[in-house]
Amino acid sequence: MGQPRVPEVEFIKMFERLGPKDTAVRLQTSVREVYRRRARIEARIGRQLTAPGSTTRSNIEHAARRHLNVRDGVVLIASDAHYWPGIITPAHRAFVHFAKTLKPAAIIMNGDVFDGASVSRHPSIGWEDKPSVIDEIDACADRLGEIEKAAPKAEKFWTLGNHDARFESRLANVAPEYARVHGVQLKDHFPYWKPCWSVWVNDDVVVKHRWKGGIHAVHGNTVNSGKSFVTGHLHSLKVAPWTDYNGTRFGVDTGTLAAPYGPQFLDYTEDNPVAWRSGFAVLTFKNGRLIWPEVVHVIGDDMVEFRGDTISV
């Protein structure tokens, strides 16, 4: 059954007002074809189309993939800041320092900038003292503002992390009628940062919050994707090269901007030892090619190491 030609704008309005079944009836087509067209439109406009009364989609509006071209320059990538009110970590101070001194072409906050302690799907352990959502949002705004000031000309991306998703997922599940109202999406509070699932640099370096799991995740990411692959999520801060007939590519874990034993983590880790490292990644491109990725590693309350030297922050 062929679908009548209806302008994209009209299709969007129809889908979000009527839902998939009634849209299919109105257009004299199948529900499957309606869903196919919705997927094509979402990929093009970078946001989700949500049927009325839907609680199965998160209502998160962001681009699935963004592209970045860097011929010669630096891209700074940090992740898992889990910014907490009143705490400014050495890794964050170092990140601001490098954002100012290296003059990066782009900065990518690779997920879990926002922690969302009070809207976690996990039950509280005892009577935990968790910050409110607004206090966390304010803390994120303050820390990101420091990065923005340090590198005003850099392109700024925020790849969505699982903790970031808590903000909108909670609202989508308890108050779906507020979909697309300004302020209910995380991106509404951080207008200088482009939200997305992934950033592709020169089409051969993929940056996203997570993919493979386990201690060998960064190895698995680059072997299985065929790309240099930069992730956070595991807080492990490392570079894993892989070489085959296609040359050498890299799996990178960007560590955490938080302190590994910070208040965000102590209760649910039960203060057990964690193989986490605080720091971030520096990617340098020459003639469009990624050279060996580097990491900045926190080694003290006010000290990081980089390129064989120590820097006070």
Side-chain angles (χ1 to χ4, degrees):
M1 189 182 300
Q3 180 173 328
R5 289 186 175 274
V6 58
E8 185 174 285
V9 172
E10 292 303 316
F11 177 88
I12 293 172
K13 291 179 180 179
M14 191 180 301
F15 184 90
E16 295 188 330
R17 180 169 56 87
L18 301 176
K21 291 182 179 179
D22 287 345
T23 297
V25 171
R26 181 70 62 86
L27 296 178
Q28 301 176 15
T29 188
S30 66
V31 173
R32 178 176 293 182
E33 180 58 35
V34 168
Y35 277 124
R36 285 174 178 167
R37 188 172 185 191
R38 179 181 71 169
R40 292 194 297 270
I41 292 174
E42 287 177 337
R44 196 186 67 76
I45 69 176
R47 77 166 181 87
Q48 294 181 346
L49 307 185
T50 306
S54 172
T55 60
T56 61
R57 292 165 68 82
S58 68
N59 297 318
I60 296 170
E61 294 185 8
H62 58 274
R65 180 187 300 181
R66 294 190 187 271
H67 293 272
L68 172 67
N69 294 314
V70 181
R71 178 172 174 79
D72 296 291
V74 168
V75 177
L76 287 184
I77 307 176
S79 68
D80 299 275
H82 297 273
Y83 286 129
W84 204 255
I87 296 178
I88 305 176
T89 64
H92 172 79
R93 295 197 301 270
F95 196 72
V96 172
H97 169 79
F98 277 74
K100 184 175 182 179
T101 57
L102 293 184
K103 303 186 185 307
I107 294 174
I108 302 174
M109 298 300 285
N110 197 19
D112 288 357
V113 175
F114 173 80
D115 185 77
S118 64
V119 291
S120 171
R121 64 183 176 87
H122 302 291
S124 293
I125 301 173
W127 283 265
E128 295 177 88
D129 185 16
K130 299 177 180 178
S132 66
V133 170
I134 188 59
D135 286 342
E136 283 199 47
I137 289 290
D138 287 344
C140 291
D142 289 343
R143 301 291 79 79
L144 292 180
E146 292 161 0
I147 297 169
E148 293 160 12
K149 183 178 180 181
K153 295 183 179 180
E155 287 196 68
K156 299 171 182 69
F157 302 91
W158 182 339
T159 51
L160 190 74
N162 52 298
H163 279 252
D164 300 320
R166 290 175 174 180
F167 183 88
E168 289 157 59
S169 294
R170 177 64 175 270
L171 289 169
N173 283 294
V174 302
E177 61 273 20
Y178 282 86
R180 291 176 299 282
V181 174
H182 184 80
V184 302
Q185 295 163 337
L186 196 60
K187 69 170 188 167
D188 296 337
H189 302 271
F190 306 99
Y192 297 107
W193 298 83
K194 300 174 184 177
C196 55
W197 280 121
S198 65
V199 177
W200 289 51
V201 188
N202 300 340
D203 288 327
D204 56 11
V205 178
V206 178
V207 183
K208 68 190 312 290
H209 181 64
R210 60 179 178 171
W211 185 25
K212 300 293 184 179
I215 61 173
H216 301 299
V218 292
H219 169 82
N221 288 339
T222 190
V223 170
N224 286 279
S225 69
K227 306 282 187 181
S228 287
F229 214 95
V230 184
T231 52
H233 189 59
L234 298 179
H235 303 192
S236 65
L237 191 66
K238 59 185 153 189
V239 176
W242 177 255
T243 304
D244 55 23
Y245 286 132
N246 296 311
T248 299
R249 56 189 184 271
F250 307 93
V252 181
D253 186 305
T254 49
T256 173
L257 285 189
Y261 295 98
Q264 306 94 317
F265 314 122
L266 285 181
D267 280 320
Y268 79 76
T269 64
E270 300 179 12
D271 198 24
N272 289 322
V274 292
W276 299 350
R277 287 168 286 276
S278 192
F280 52 91
V282 179
L283 270 55
T284 303
F285 294 86
K286 299 289 186 181
N287 294 319
R289 179 180 179 180
L290 174 66
I291 65 174
W292 201 286
E294 301 169 287
V295 298
V296 177
H297 177 221
V298 173
I299 56 174
D301 290 340
D302 60 357
M303 194 76 64
V304 299
E305 58 180 350
F306 180 63
R307 294 179 180 171
D309 199 2
T310 57
I311 301 169
S312 178
V313 293

